[in-house]
Amino acid sequence: MSRARAMWQRLPTPVTDLALVAVAAVDVWLNMEEPTPLELALAAVGCTALAFRRRFPLGVFLLTLPIALMQDVAVAVLAALFTLTERSRNRRLLALCVALAAVASSTAWPLAEVDRTMTLVFFVYGLATAAAPVLFGQLLQAQRDLARRLAEIEEAREHERALHAQAVLARERAQLAREMHDVVSHQVSLIAVRAGALQVAAKDADAKEAARTIRSLSVTTLDELRTMVTLLRASGGDATELTPQPTLADLRKLVESSGTHAQLTGELPPTVSTPAQRALYRTVQEALTNVRKHAPGARARVELWQAGDGIGVTITNTPSTRPSLSLPGSQQGLVGLRERADILHGTLEAGPTAEGGYRVRLRIPLSAD
């Protein structure tokens, strides 16, 4: 039965309506004997009205009632009752319609005196017949309600699983934040303390300047580490402004405290978006860090520029004048910078120069946000 109902539901609505009207008309034609013109008109109205049963279920049922007067079991009346049950949850109305259908089917037509006992038997029979489509319609209602309820339960479970995954992620972030704070910040703090002591004790001016730079960079690293730890502890909630993010206004301080002989030139318009300013700042920061690590004694030039609808920065350094120290690195700095550039629909170029130095060039559309 469920397969037949599924096939019936897949048919287009107009085809279903026409088929039902035709079946009801054939049913009336086979069961009515020598109908009068009035009976034919009432039957035609009732059968035709079935095409509108979805929009006016109660009205269509009332129009099919005269057919029940003319035959015991009418397809048109049962179809109208079923449609009304599918679209109404008013049980009193449905009970009244079942009673009306039973009375109509048990009433003699044309009106005449009949045996009361037989009338009662026909009424009970008509009552049972009319109740069948109502019960079937309520069964379908309950099935749809159950399917909707199961879908809601599944949606609630998906939401619960998502919340559980977020909770697990929050715990992992908190654990990672604790590890970073306990291990990295402790070591960087020791570096800052030792650099401060060296700055005080050193006799040579260059040594004092180097110690001062190391201490300044250590303090900056601690600040950024605290920002990162706070971000990790945010556990993926709504974005909250934690600490002021670096902008172009901080570039001069970054260049001066980079520990290299660097010079900043050029200007950019104040309309540059915040993500673009951050990308420019991080590019300069990474490039100067690489100069300090891989080209000791080299001079660097940081140039801000604007060309057409694009803005950017070029960091160029001369060849190193001293052997570079073997320092640990993740080899992911330039990869991260390229990812930043891609997000902003920009480009990053990096490579050696003809003079033996190195150049990093970032270009971002002025409209990048």
Side-chain angles (χ1 to χ4, degrees), residues 262-320:
Q263 180 184 7
L264 176 64
T265 60
E267 292 184 356
L268 288 177
T271 56
V272 178
S273 64
T274 300
Q277 293 190 43
R278 193 174 306 143
L280 292 166
Y281 181 93
R282 294 304 182 191
T283 301
V284 174
Q285 184 182 45
E286 179 67 21
L288 293 180
T289 299
N290 288 338
V291 171
R292 188 171 61 250
K293 290 169 58 176
H294 305 299
R299 294 183 176 274
R301 184 176 72 255
V302 179
E303 180 186 1
L304 299 173
W305 50 265
Q306 178 179 0
D309 60 348
I311 58 173
V313 62
T314 302
I315 305 98
T316 308
N317 65 272
T318 61
S320 61

Side-chain angles (χ1 to χ4, degrees), residues 77-114:
V77 178
L78 299 181
L81 260 179
F82 173 76
T83 304
L84 178 62
T85 305
E86 270 195 316
R87 284 158 173 73
S88 174
R89 296 180 182 272
N90 190 336
R91 295 189 175 182
R92 291 184 179 180
L93 175 63
L94 295 176
L96 177 61
C97 291
V98 169
L100 287 176
V103 169
S105 63
S106 61
T107 301
W109 184 265
L111 295 176
E113 292 185 4
V114 294

